[in-house]
Amino acid sequence: MIQTLHKKSTTRRSYYRAVPPREQNLKIIPLGGLEEVGRNMTVFEYGQDIVVIDMGLQFPEEDMPGIDYIIPNTAYLQEKAKNIRGVIITHGHYDHIGAIPHIMPKIGNPPIYTAALTAAIIKKRQEDYPNGTHLNFKVVRKKDRLRLGCFEAEFFRLNHNIPDSLGVALHTPVGTVVYTGDFKFDHSPVGDEPADIAHLAQLGARGVLLLMSDSTDADTPGYSISEKTIQDTLDDIFKNADGRIIAATFSSLISRLQELIYLAEKYHRKVVVDGYSMKTNVEIARNLGYLKVKKETLINIERLHDWPDNKILVLCTGAQGEGRAVLMRIVNKEHRFIRIKTGDTVIFSSSVIPGNERTVQHVKDTLSRHGAKIIHYQMMDVHAGGHAQVEDLKMMINLVRPKFFIPIHGNYYMLKLHAELARTVGVPEKNIVIPDNGQVVEVTAKNIRLTDKRAPTNYIMVDGLGIGDVGQVVLRDRQMMSKDGMFTIIVIIDGKTGKIIQDPDIISRGFIYMKESGELLAQTKRKVKQIIAQKTKETPINWAYIRSTLRDSIGQFLYSKTQRRPMILPVVIEV
Amino acid sequence: MIQTLHKKSTTRRSYYRAVPPREQNLKIIPLGGLEEVGRNMTVFEYGQDIVVIDMGLQFPEEDMPGIDYIIPNTAYLQEKAKNIRGVIITHGHYDHIGAIPHIMPKIGNPPIYTAALTAAIIKKRQEDYPNGTHLNFKVVRKKDRLRLGCFEAEFFRLNHNIPDSLGVALHTPVGTVVYTGDFKFDHSPVGDEPADIAHLAQLGARGVLLLMSDSTDADTPGYSISEKTIQDTLDDIFKNADGRIIAATFSSLISRLQELIYLAEKYHRKVVVDGYSMKTNVEIARNLGYLKVKKETLINIERLHDWPDNKILVLCTGAQGEGRAVLMRIVNKEHRFIRIKTGDTVIFSSSVIPGNERTVQHVKDTLSRHGAKIIHYQMMDVHAGGHAQVEDLKMMINLVRPKFFIPIHGNYYMLKLHAELARTVGVPEKNIVIPDNGQVVEVTAKNIRLTDKRAPTNYIMVDGLGIGDVGQVVLRDRQMMSKDGMFTIIVIIDGKTGKIIQDPDIISRGFIYMKESGELLAQTKRKVKQIIAQKTKETPINWAYIRSTLRDSIGQFLYSKTQRRPMILPVVIEV
């Protein structure tokens, strides 16, 4: 837990007090999103006022088997829940909204300030949690300004691969903090407006104390590609496709869906939207006017065969080879209406997330076997990242001209590269800090510094209904069992005589194929009996010691025979 | 098992019979390397003569926890061991040599024909298997020709990222088969000679029946980059580095090591070679003259600090974040002599293998935190693949001008792309076949066809000392336990009364944190007792049925409470 430096204010806290006592600092506490990609959540605290930006989840790493996702630790906020004036959400992607259902009830359900599309996406997701909190939304528009305790928040328009992405200028008593969220500059976005560069320049002219900017693509040189360029590439694909086009992408990439729908309309193709999340997002975005689709364009999947193949576009999920997604069902011939055939063109319209390569490769192999033509971003650039690259990042810094700089959203390595960039465009090195997750940054009008105060930020893992109940012990056990399995030895002892009653039982899974390992098991049982016979001679009998001897000796024995180390679980039961 | 079409020859088979009976086909049986990257092994069979090319391993996929690697199934060959005239190995990488220690004893240890460096690498690896077979090597030189039963093998020089990579022209009774192995064309290789294009053209002029060519990079457009270009990029890095240079790469990329050593000598840096496999390979390659290093260049790591930082190059393993590699020890501050400090330049000189991204990211984060400058192939092209790209592949086909074409080395998707390429440069579609692993291809001078005969090719998994003893059952158990753990219920029953003797014992790992789940465990135990009480009323007591009821009911109960599905193992013991 963190000690606050300033004395507890004795005057009644006022929402309208614009200038609190001089000695106070602005505290910035990143609860996630640094040292990682995902789990974005940042706390801004001044005196008795707190504003939170974003509340995201992170997907588990390879060494976290069975974990659904990870959410930020909010112990720091829970103690100060009454001070939270509002939660600002920059856009509707899971790494920025995913932890809302889990965290909101713990911090007193403060109001959420966000754009219309983002609010609708959050609301829809909340329905997956039947006992979830009823959230309190305040929909903001780009350029809105609102007061949150001693803070004033001003929004500005940026581009990303989902519409309604907001940047935030947080006017604090020590100065203005510009927080980009995920962004890129797109001067010719499709179905969206360009980033409001003039507004950013204006903010810069008014004076910005601190810029906190997206580092996700800080290691990619050049400018990010405009969606228009991608549109042209896709246009070529549509022009040349003889049969059906099946486009697999994330349902959250609303901008990409819009492009594909435009092209379908241009080339007189009907559009089938398939997959629960895809349908939901299309519906939400369409209802709010963020997705423009002619009435007659969308058709129900059941009517798919009423049109010739070259008049059909299928939009579906599964570009990452996700097990239950539509594309996987098509590939596995489990889809009710679609089988791949020669002439089909399948577009993979998102880059492969590390860890999914082999699954995606398998999907491509099967599609290819069934005669489909496959187009993915390596062969033809149908993918543009949603994030600013090196030149865009420099431009952001040059527009905003901040005194201080904190790179956000990314691993340390990316943050460091981004810090280097900031230095090359003129931010003095001493004015740039790279905090760790949880590390409290103190900012005044003159100074920025990393303190050694830390909010807890250990991983809170969500697994099924359990939140935070899977910790290091459980994970380590899962890892161990996944490598070499487990080996349970059950020994029944006569409580009166201290003698073993019958042959030990052995239950083993994931170690060796038991039916073919009779000899090894017989040897192991003999060894167990020897150990028990020997160790029960001593009185008083020390069962804990016997169990640990069994664990060590049998573990050693099995390793010598197999070079595997199953988890050994000796169970001694007295009857 | 496969039926052979031809009748068993009744005449005594002769090594010198060049033209066997007319009706025979050449059979080609890929035992691995198609439908995958790795596990390369191909059988060529004509009458009573068999030649095998390569004997590689494949690294396990994500859903094979605990498996070390996978080797080809050689059941087909084991039955015909006496017919094997020789094994040709194209080059010394594990996906071409890795299965040798496991397979050779099973197929009668036939002679291995390969180049000097490859032979030395295989020999060295054989030392890791103390009870391994003594291998019988025949070292061949580029341009050598040798007779193997009715086959004649002719070698030609290609480039790859290890010296001594050979292509094979196998002259068979039905015509010449050109087998490329892994290759690229490099007109300015570093420390190696360019591919012998004239020789290939000559083969083409003499007439080639079938080309079998490397598809690993068939989805990458353009020409592969020459090592010279990479050399220039690396030169820049050396020129600008102020402190130590630490280059991490695979120890098998001998050509890359040569380049780094050249540059060290050019810029007057001493070279420290660290890591067991790195030292071994440098020694082997140097002894055979494949690696040119001045005597005074190499220094012992203990003398590292006798030179200023800007006079040092460290060559080490660990570019993939491998747990026990040198770079990992440096990062974890466990290395005896090296700690990262500001001024160090760390070069990651190989692309990241799918599945290793997060680990490599972690390594980079830590290096970056300690002040190192990091250079990896995304930022500056210090990596060139060892494989021919689209334009090189076309050139190979144009040089060899084969009648028939089989793409090899790669997933189906890549093979299909390569087949498409072949078609575009003039091989008729009907002359191109893409076999599955194990599928027997029959070739005559006039015809090529995929038969429906199949050799077994299921995965043989190597785990510790066990080869092939981990099958689908064991793997499935490992996967299941890795996701939600296991839950063993032990019930002791009085054999006389049929009553439960004491509270059931529960042993669970990887499911939930047991110490904090008292209530759930108590409920579960009550439920177990209820089930037993109820089901033991019926006589005779059906224990198998009771166990299966326990498994289902408790599984359901735990899922309803946690939405997790641990593996339930009910154990009922009568005493």
Side-chain angles (χ1 to χ4, degrees):
Chain A
M1 215 49 26
I2 292 177
Q3 286 192 313
T4 44
L5 275 184
H6 60 87
K7 288 178 220 141
K8 204 154 187 179
S9 170
T10 48
T11 58
R12 192 167 166 274
R13 194 195 40 67
S14 154
Y15 274 91
Y16 308 100
R17 187 187 57 205
V19 189
R22 276 281 164 90
E23 74 271 19
Q24 292 194 355
N25 297 315
L26 170 68
K27 289 192 194 59
I28 301 177
I29 307 131
L31 295 182
L34 306 180
E35 309 176 63
E36 67 203 330
V37 173
R39 198 169 61 130
N40 296 296
M41 181 164 179
T42 308
V43 173
F44 295 83
E45 183 176 22
Y46 190 91
Q48 303 286 305
D49 292 317
I50 288 176
V51 166
V52 176
I53 300 187
D54 287 339
M55 211 171 267
L57 59 76
Q58 191 196 338
F59 289 101
E61 309 198 2
E62 293 91 342
D63 59 354
M64 302 176 187
I67 298 300
D68 300 334
Y69 47 83
I70 299 152
I71 59 173
N73 185 326
T74 47
Y76 181 82
L77 280 182
Q78 282 156 238
E79 298 204 334
K80 302 184 170 197
K82 67 171 182 13
N83 293 356
I84 303 173
R85 305 292 154 237
V87 175
I88 295 170
I89 303 290
T90 56
H91 66 284
H93 283 161
Y94 279 15
D95 52 341
H96 295 257
I97 67 166
I100 290 176
H102 306 293
I103 292 177
M104 279 310 218
K106 294 196 218 164
I107 59 169
N109 196 27
I112 295 178
Y113 297 89
T114 194
L117 178 63
T118 314
I121 292 171
I122 296 169
K123 259 184 213 157
K124 185 77 197 170
R125 179 153 188 266
Q126 200 72 1
E127 290 171 12
D128 296 344
Y129 299 81
N131 304 318
T133 314
H134 179 81
L135 301 172
N136 173 15
F137 287 101
K138 313 271 187 198
V139 171
V140 298
R141 279 193 201 81
K142 289 156 188 179
K143 290 210 170 174
D144 266 6
R145 294 176 74 121
L146 53 103
R147 178 151 286 282
L148 300 165
C150 66
F151 298 106
E152 196 181 56
E154 177 181 355
F155 298 95
F156 52 91
R157 201 171 57 230
L158 288 172
N159 300 111
H160 189 41
N161 39 28
I162 185 168
D164 257 2
S165 290
L166 295 177
V168 186
L170 196 65
H171 304 292
T172 80
V174 301
T176 297
V177 178
V178 168
Y179 188 99
T180 67
D182 286 356
F183 84 100
K184 65 173 176 175
F185 294 116
D186 193 338
H187 309 299
S188 54
V190 175
D192 197 6
E193 289 170 80
D196 194 343
I197 292 176
H199 191 170
L200 279 169
Q202 212 181 66
L203 281 166
R206 269 149 54 195
V208 169
L209 183 68
L210 166 65
L211 171 65
M212 301 173 76
S213 181
D214 178 13
S215 314
T216 313
D217 257 353
D219 63 347
T220 314
Y223 289 99
S224 67
I225 302 169
S226 167
E227 288 289 330
K228 184 63 180 60
T229 315
I230 296 152
Q231 184 81 348
D232 295 343
T233 313
L234 285 171
D235 196 303
D236 264 356
I237 298 170
F238 272 72
K239 204 185 293 167
N240 296 317
D242 298 326
R244 295 181 298 192
I245 298 178
I246 298 171
T249 186
F250 287 113
S251 60
S252 57
L253 293 180
I254 307 281
S255 318
R256 187 60 43 84
L257 299 179
Q258 177 70 78
E259 287 161 48
L260 291 161
I261 289 170
Y262 273 155
L263 285 169
E265 291 177 345
K266 177 171 171 189
Y267 290 99
H268 311 293
R269 286 177 184 256
K270 298 291 176 188
V271 177
V272 171
V273 178
D274 200 24
Y276 175 75
S277 62
M278 192 64 94
K279 281 184 195 163
T280 307
N281 279 7
V282 166
E283 193 192 318
I284 291 174
R286 205 179 162 205
N287 287 345
L288 293 170
Y290 288 95
L291 197 61
K292 298 195 173 45
V293 197
K294 286 183 194 150
K295 218 181 195 166
E296 65 275 18
T297 302
L298 294 184
I299 61 166
N300 195 300
I301 192 158
E302 284 154 27
R303 296 185 57 209
L304 181 69
H305 301 291
D306 295 353
W307 279 269
D309 287 348
N310 62 1
K311 293 294 167 225
I312 291 292
L313 165 67
V314 178
L315 292 181
C316 66
T317 52
Q320 300 296 323
E322 306 96 316
R324 281 158 298 180
V326 173
L327 191 62
M328 211 60 162
R329 280 188 274 134
I330 294 175
V331 160
N332 293 335
K333 302 193 174 180
E334 290 164 9
H335 195 281
R336 283 198 303 152
F337 298 99
I338 305 173
R339 291 281 176 283
I340 292 295
K341 56 186 178 188
T342 306
D344 288 344
T345 299
V346 180
I347 305 175
F348 283 75
S349 181
S350 51
S351 51
V352 181
I353 293 174
N356 295 343
E357 290 88 351
R358 295 215 194 193
T359 321
V360 171
Q361 186 60 56
H362 169 76
V363 172
K364 283 187 197 161
D365 285 349
T366 313
L367 290 169
S368 183
R369 263 180 205 277
H370 296 159
K373 187 173 170 192
I374 295 166
I375 293 169
H376 74 146
Y377 74 106
Q378 282 183 312
M379 297 167 66
M380 201 178 279
D381 198 14
V382 291
H383 172 79
H387 300 274
Q389 297 174 198
V390 165
E391 297 305 319
D392 310 285
L393 293 173
K394 288 187 200 161
M395 177 160 135
M396 174 61 87
I397 299 166
N398 283 335
L399 281 168
V400 172
R401 286 184 285 148
K403 180 165 184 175
F404 303 127
F405 180 71
I406 300 180
I408 55 170
H409 301 348
N411 287 74
Y412 186 87
Y413 169 66
M414 274 118 77
L415 303 181
K416 180 82 181 185
L417 287 176
H418 198 179
E420 272 299 298
L421 279 186
R423 209 180 46 75
T424 61
V425 296
V427 184
E429 192 156 0
K430 66 175 177 44
N431 288 3
I432 303 172
V433 299
I434 307 180
D436 290 337
N437 279 331
Q439 189 169 22
V440 178
V441 184
E442 286 181 355
V443 191
T444 64
K446 298 211 170 126
N447 232 316
I448 188 164
R449 72 182 194 95
L450 292 177
T451 68
D452 46 17
K453 288 173 276 184
R454 303 223 171 210
T457 56
N458 55 305
Y459 281 174
I460 307 294
M461 292 181 257
V462 178
D463 179 5
L465 294 183
I467 299 161
D469 66 334
V470 173
Q472 285 312 314
V473 175
V474 174
L475 264 194
R476 208 172 47 227
D477 288 347
R478 286 184 186 175
Q479 288 161 14
M480 196 166 166
M481 290 191 294
S482 83
K483 284 207 191 79
D484 287 325
M486 65 89 180
F487 196 91
T488 306
I489 304 162
I490 304 171
V491 179
I492 314 276
I493 300 284
D494 184 323
K496 289 176 208 120
T497 65
K499 296 282 174 223
I500 194 163
I501 287 187
Q502 51 192 29
D503 249 21
D505 277 280
I506 285 172
I507 314 291
S508 172
R509 291 289 186 280
F511 167 50
I512 43 171
Y513 193 52
M514 298 293 279
K515 286 189 181 161
E516 289 171 1
S517 311
E519 179 51 30
L520 182 68
L521 290 184
Q523 287 176 7
T524 309
K525 285 182 181 179
R526 275 200 296 279
K527 240 186 134 61
V528 170
K529 284 197 278 192
Q530 276 168 19
I531 292 170
I532 303 268
Q534 201 175 46
K535 298 292 169 189
T536 48
K537 277 183 201 152
E538 305 149 18
T539 46
I541 298 172
N542 182 342
W543 290 112
Y545 173 64
I546 292 178
R547 275 198 304 271
S548 108
T549 307
L550 278 176
R551 193 179 295 119
D552 295 348
S553 306
I554 300 301
Q556 200 50 47
F557 173 71
L558 294 176
Y559 183 74
S560 74
K561 293 287 180 185
T562 63
Q563 284 196 12
R564 296 177 201 169
R565 297 194 186 281
M567 177 183 284
I568 312 274
L569 298 165
V571 185
V572 179
I573 301 176
E574 274 188 83
V575 294
Chain B
M1 215 48 26
I2 292 177
Q3 288 191 309
T4 44
L5 275 184
H6 61 89
K7 288 178 224 141
K8 204 156 189 180
S9 170
T10 48
T11 58
R12 193 165 164 276
R13 197 194 40 66
S14 153
Y15 274 91
Y16 307 101
R17 187 189 57 206
V19 189
R22 275 279 162 91
E23 74 271 19
Q24 290 193 357
N25 297 314
L26 170 68
K27 288 192 196 60
I28 301 177
I29 307 133
L31 295 182
L34 306 179
E35 310 176 62
E36 67 204 330
V37 174
R39 201 170 60 130
N40 296 296
M41 180 165 181
T42 308
V43 173
F44 295 83
E45 182 175 22
Y46 190 92
Q48 304 287 305
D49 291 318
I50 288 177
V51 166
V52 176
I53 300 188
D54 288 340
M55 212 172 265
L57 59 75
Q58 191 196 338
F59 289 100
E61 309 198 0
E62 294 91 343
D63 58 355
M64 301 176 188
I67 299 300
D68 300 333
Y69 48 83
I70 298 152
I71 59 172
N73 186 327
T74 47
Y76 181 83
L77 280 182
Q78 282 156 238
E79 297 203 335
K80 304 186 169 197
K82 66 173 180 18
N83 294 355
I84 304 173
R85 306 294 154 235
V87 174
I88 295 170
I89 303 289
T90 55
H91 66 283
H93 283 162
Y94 279 14
D95 52 341
H96 296 256
I97 67 166
I100 290 175
H102 307 292
I103 291 177
M104 278 311 217
K106 292 195 218 163
I107 59 168
N109 196 27
I112 295 178
Y113 297 89
T114 194
L117 178 62
T118 314
I121 291 172
I122 296 170
K123 260 184 213 157
K124 185 76 195 171
R125 179 151 187 266
Q126 200 71 0
E127 290 172 11
D128 297 343
Y129 299 81
N131 304 318
T133 314
H134 180 80
L135 301 172
N136 173 15
F137 288 100
K138 314 269 187 198
V139 171
V140 298
R141 280 194 201 80
K142 288 155 190 182
K143 290 209 172 176
D144 265 7
R145 294 176 75 121
L146 53 103
R147 178 153 286 281
L148 300 163
C150 66
F151 298 105
E152 197 181 56
E154 177 181 354
F155 299 95
F156 52 89
R157 201 172 57 231
L158 288 173
N159 299 111
H160 189 42
N161 39 29
I162 185 168
D164 256 3
S165 290
L166 295 176
V168 187
L170 197 65
H171 304 292
T172 80
V174 302
T176 298
V177 178
V178 169
Y179 188 98
T180 66
D182 286 356
F183 84 98
K184 65 173 177 176
F185 293 116
D186 193 338
H187 309 298
S188 54
V190 175
D192 197 5
E193 288 170 81
D196 193 343
I197 291 175
H199 191 170
L200 278 168
Q202 212 182 66
L203 281 166
R206 271 149 52 194
V208 170
L209 183 67
L210 166 65
L211 170 64
M212 300 174 75
S213 181
D214 178 13
S215 314
T216 312
D217 256 353
D219 63 346
T220 313
Y223 289 100
S224 67
I225 303 169
S226 167
E227 288 288 331
K228 184 63 181 60
T229 314
I230 296 151
Q231 184 81 348
D232 294 343
T233 313
L234 284 171
D235 196 304
D236 264 355
I237 298 169
F238 272 72
K239 203 185 294 167
N240 296 317
D242 299 326
R244 296 181 296 192
I245 298 178
I246 298 170
T249 186
F250 288 112
S251 60
S252 56
L253 294 179
I254 307 282
S255 318
R256 187 60 43 85
L257 298 179
Q258 177 69 79
E259 286 161 49
L260 290 161
I261 289 170
Y262 273 155
L263 285 170
E265 291 176 346
K266 177 171 172 189
Y267 290 100
H268 311 292
R269 287 176 183 257
K270 298 292 176 189
V271 177
V272 170
V273 179
D274 200 24
Y276 175 74
S277 62
M278 192 65 93
K279 281 184 194 163
T280 308
N281 280 6
V282 165
E283 192 192 319
I284 292 175
R286 206 179 162 206
N287 287 345
L288 293 170
Y290 288 96
L291 198 61
K292 299 194 172 45
V293 197
K294 287 184 194 151
K295 218 180 194 171
E296 65 274 21
T297 301
L298 294 183
I299 61 166
N300 195 299
I301 192 158
E302 283 154 27
R303 296 185 56 210
L304 182 70
H305 301 290
D306 295 354
W307 279 268
D309 286 348
N310 63 1
K311 293 293 166 229
I312 291 292
L313 165 68
V314 178
L315 291 180
C316 67
T317 53
Q320 300 294 325
E322 305 96 314
R324 282 158 300 180
V326 174
L327 191 61
M328 210 60 160
R329 280 188 273 134
I330 294 176
V331 161
N332 293 336
K333 302 194 172 178
E334 290 163 10
H335 195 282
R336 282 199 303 152
F337 297 100
I338 305 174
R339 291 280 176 285
I340 292 295
K341 57 186 178 187
T342 305
D344 287 344
T345 299
V346 180
I347 305 175
F348 283 75
S349 182
S350 52
S351 52
V352 180
I353 293 176
N356 295 343
E357 290 89 350
R358 297 217 193 192
T359 321
V360 171
Q361 186 60 56
H362 168 77
V363 172
K364 283 187 197 161
D365 286 348
T366 313
L367 290 169
S368 183
R369 262 179 206 279
H370 296 159
K373 186 174 170 191
I374 294 165
I375 292 168
H376 74 146
Y377 74 107
Q378 281 182 312
M379 295 167 67
M380 201 178 281
D381 199 13
V382 291
H383 172 77
H387 301 274
Q389 297 174 199
V390 165
E391 297 304 320
D392 309 287
L393 293 173
K394 288 188 203 162
M395 177 160 135
M396 174 61 85
I397 299 167
N398 283 336
L399 281 168
V400 172
R401 286 184 285 148
K403 180 165 183 176
F404 303 127
F405 181 70
I406 300 180
I408 56 170
H409 301 349
N411 287 74
Y412 186 86
Y413 169 66
M414 275 119 76
L415 304 182
K416 179 82 181 183
L417 286 176
H418 198 180
E420 272 299 299
L421 280 186
R423 209 180 47 74
T424 62
V425 295
V427 184
E429 191 155 2
K430 66 175 177 43
N431 288 3
I432 302 172
V433 299
I434 307 180
D436 291 337
N437 279 331
Q439 189 169 20
V440 178
V441 184
E442 286 181 357
V443 191
T444 64
K446 297 208 172 127
N447 231 317
I448 188 164
R449 70 181 194 97
L450 292 177
T451 69
D452 47 17
K453 287 173 277 185
R454 303 222 171 211
T457 56
N458 54 305
Y459 281 174
I460 307 294
M461 292 182 258
V462 178
D463 179 5
L465 294 183
I467 300 161
D469 65 334
V470 173
Q472 284 312 314
V473 175
V474 173
L475 263 195
R476 209 172 45 227
D477 288 346
R478 286 184 187 175
Q479 287 161 14
M480 196 167 166
M481 290 191 293
S482 83
K483 283 208 191 80
D484 288 325
M486 64 89 183
F487 196 91
T488 306
I489 304 162
I490 304 171
V491 179
I492 312 278
I493 300 285
D494 184 323
K496 288 177 210 122
T497 64
K499 297 282 174 220
I500 194 163
I501 287 188
Q502 51 192 26
D503 249 21
D505 277 280
I506 285 173
I507 314 291
S508 173
R509 291 290 186 278
F511 168 49
I512 42 171
Y513 193 52
M514 298 292 280
K515 287 190 181 160
E516 289 171 1
S517 311
E519 179 51 28
L520 181 67
L521 291 184
Q523 286 175 8
T524 310
K525 285 183 182 179
R526 274 199 297 279
K527 238 184 137 63
V528 169
K529 283 197 278 191
Q530 276 166 21
I531 293 170
I532 303 269
Q534 201 174 47
K535 298 292 170 191
T536 49
K537 276 183 200 150
E538 305 149 19
T539 46
I541 298 171
N542 182 342
W543 289 114
Y545 173 64
I546 292 178
R547 275 200 303 272
S548 109
T549 308
L550 278 176
R551 193 179 295 118
D552 296 347
S553 307
I554 301 301
Q556 200 50 48
F557 173 71
L558 294 177
Y559 182 74
S560 75
K561 292 287 180 186
T562 63
Q563 286 197 9
R564 295 175 203 170
R565 297 194 186 281
M567 177 184 283
I568 313 275
L569 297 165
V571 185
V572 179
I573 301 176
E574 274 187 84
V575 292

